[in-house]
């Protein structure tokens, strides 16, 4: 069964450094998402992406965050100047169409640890 | 403000019994509802989806939706120790909002423990 793949599985970064999290969505999916989950808390929506542009973003997704689809397969989340509170699991998800009754499929996540 | 509420638990159920998990949501126009299972340190895994009022069954799982009461539930029959996990209720915003690309709103999840 096709999967969403994320790399790296664990990223350790010094505060203030830039970090890029990578995702390869399922190949025939058109809608892409990033979520984060701080330890012990709920999964929170960050941003959605369709047709090479941001469709929706939450209040968490401020100017330090950016997303990009640099080629036909990768979807990246960049955090420009990391803060301690950015430590979390980051999940990429994809959905085949824009119909809300289609489920989103999640990758295994990247654990980001900011020191 | 979109809210999805779940009892955090833990909910402890004997092996072989029925586990009942509940969820309420605040956005009355929400159209699609999903149950995800999350093992500790892992990603959400889709269990069930439901869009219409009533029951939807898939194997040992039954999802129930009551839009008038803004209530979604998940029943797990013949509970197994491997069902022990956190169950996340997720809601998709109303149709037409964000062109179909809206993010899911998750509840905090219910921690389910199946006792052997």
């Amino acid at each position: 069964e096709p999967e969403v793949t994320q790399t790296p599985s664990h990223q350790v970064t010094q505060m203030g450094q830039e970090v890029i999290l990578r995702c390869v969505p399922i190949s025939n999916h058109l809608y892409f998402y990033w979520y984060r989950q701080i330890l012990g808390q709920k999964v929170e929506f960050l941003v959605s992406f369709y047709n090479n542009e941001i469709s929706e973003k939450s209040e968490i997704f401020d100017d330090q965050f950016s997303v990009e689809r640099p080629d036909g397969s990768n979807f990246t989340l960049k955090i420009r100047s990391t803060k301690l509170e950015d430590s979390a699991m980051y999940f990429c998800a994809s959905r085949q169409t824009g119909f809300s009754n289609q489920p989103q499929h999640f990758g295994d996540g990247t654990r980001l640890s900011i020191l | 403000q979109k809210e999805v509420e779940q009892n955090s638990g833990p909910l402890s159920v004997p092996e072989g019994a029925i586990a009942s998990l509940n969820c309420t949501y605040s956005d009355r126009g929400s159209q699609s509802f999903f149950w995800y299972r999350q093992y500790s340190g892992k990603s959400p895994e889709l269990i069930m989806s439901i869009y219409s009022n009533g029951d939807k069954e898939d194997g040992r799982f039954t999802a129930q939706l009551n839009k008038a009461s803004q209530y979604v539930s998940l029943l797990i029959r013949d509970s197994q120790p491997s069902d022990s996990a956190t169950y996340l209720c997720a809601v998709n915003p109303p149709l037409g909002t964000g062109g179909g690309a809206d993010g899911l709103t998750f509840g905090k999840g219910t921690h389910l423990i199946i006792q052997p």
Side-chain angles (χ1 to χ4, degrees):
Chain A
E1 186 173 325
E3 292 182 340
V4 176
T5 58
Q6 290 186 243
T7 54
S9 57
H10 190 191
Q11 174 81 45
V12 181
T13 302
Q14 292 288 331
M15 185 173 59
Q17 296 297 304
E18 176 182 286
V19 65
I20 297 176
L21 310 182
R22 291 182 167 80
C23 169
V24 178
I26 295 172
S27 62
N28 63 344
H29 285 194
L30 301 177
Y31 291 79
F32 315 122
Y33 307 82
W34 283 102
Y35 293 83
R36 81 172 184 190
Q37 186 176 30
I38 295 170
L39 186 64
Q41 299 189 24
K42 64 181 177 180
V43 177
E44 299 174 291
F45 168 70
L46 293 178
V47 66
S48 60
F49 192 87
Y50 169 69
N51 199 26
N52 281 320
E53 60 183 24
I54 291 173
S55 297
E56 187 197 21
K57 57 184 180 180
S58 71
E59 61 272 15
I60 303 169
F61 194 87
D62 61 22
D63 290 344
Q64 70 163 337
F65 291 94
S66 62
V67 289
E68 191 178 33
R69 188 158 165 81
D71 54 43
S73 60
N74 289 284
F75 178 50
T76 62
L77 174 69
K78 182 192 290 186
I79 309 175
R80 257 179 279 281
S81 179
T82 50
K83 302 190 282 268
L84 293 176
E85 53 265 37
D86 293 328
S87 294
M89 282 288 287
Y90 287 81
F91 296 111
C92 175
S94 68
R95 185 164 76 183
Q96 187 173 21
T97 73
F99 291 108
S100 62
N101 59 3
Q102 288 237 324
Q104 295 180 24
H105 297 271
F106 284 74
D108 287 341
T110 294
R111 180 175 301 281
L112 179 62
S113 300
I114 307 300
L115 304 179
Chain B
Q1 179 81 9
K2 307 167 201 174
E3 297 283 347
V4 177
E5 299 290 339
Q6 295 181 257
N7 188 324
S8 61
L11 174 65
S12 187
V13 173
E15 183 176 356
I18 296 175
S20 178
L21 306 163
N22 305 314
C23 169
T24 59
Y25 59 95
S26 63
D27 194 335
R28 181 168 288 278
S30 298
Q31 296 288 328
S32 305
F33 308 87
F34 305 90
W35 284 99
Y36 286 85
R37 178 174 62 198
Q38 187 176 34
Y39 293 112
S40 181
K42 302 296 185 182
S43 64
E45 173 192 7
L46 180 71
I47 298 296
M48 291 281 292
S49 59
I50 188 166
Y51 328 112
S52 304
N53 278 327
D55 295 359
K56 179 182 177 183
E57 187 174 318
D58 184 0
R60 295 188 296 113
F61 299 96
T62 299
Q64 300 173 317
L65 174 60
N66 183 327
K67 289 186 178 180
S69 301
Q70 295 175 242
Y71 177 88
V72 195
S73 66
L74 178 70
L75 301 178
I76 307 174
R77 287 181 299 282
D78 188 24
S79 298
Q80 303 296 310
S82 59
D83 294 328
S84 298
T86 297
Y87 288 80
L88 310 179
C89 175
V91 177
N92 219 119
L95 287 173
T97 307
D102 299 289
L104 297 171
T105 300
F106 281 84
K108 289 184 177 180
T110 297
H111 182 43
L112 176 66
I113 299 171
I114 306 300
Q115 296 175 317

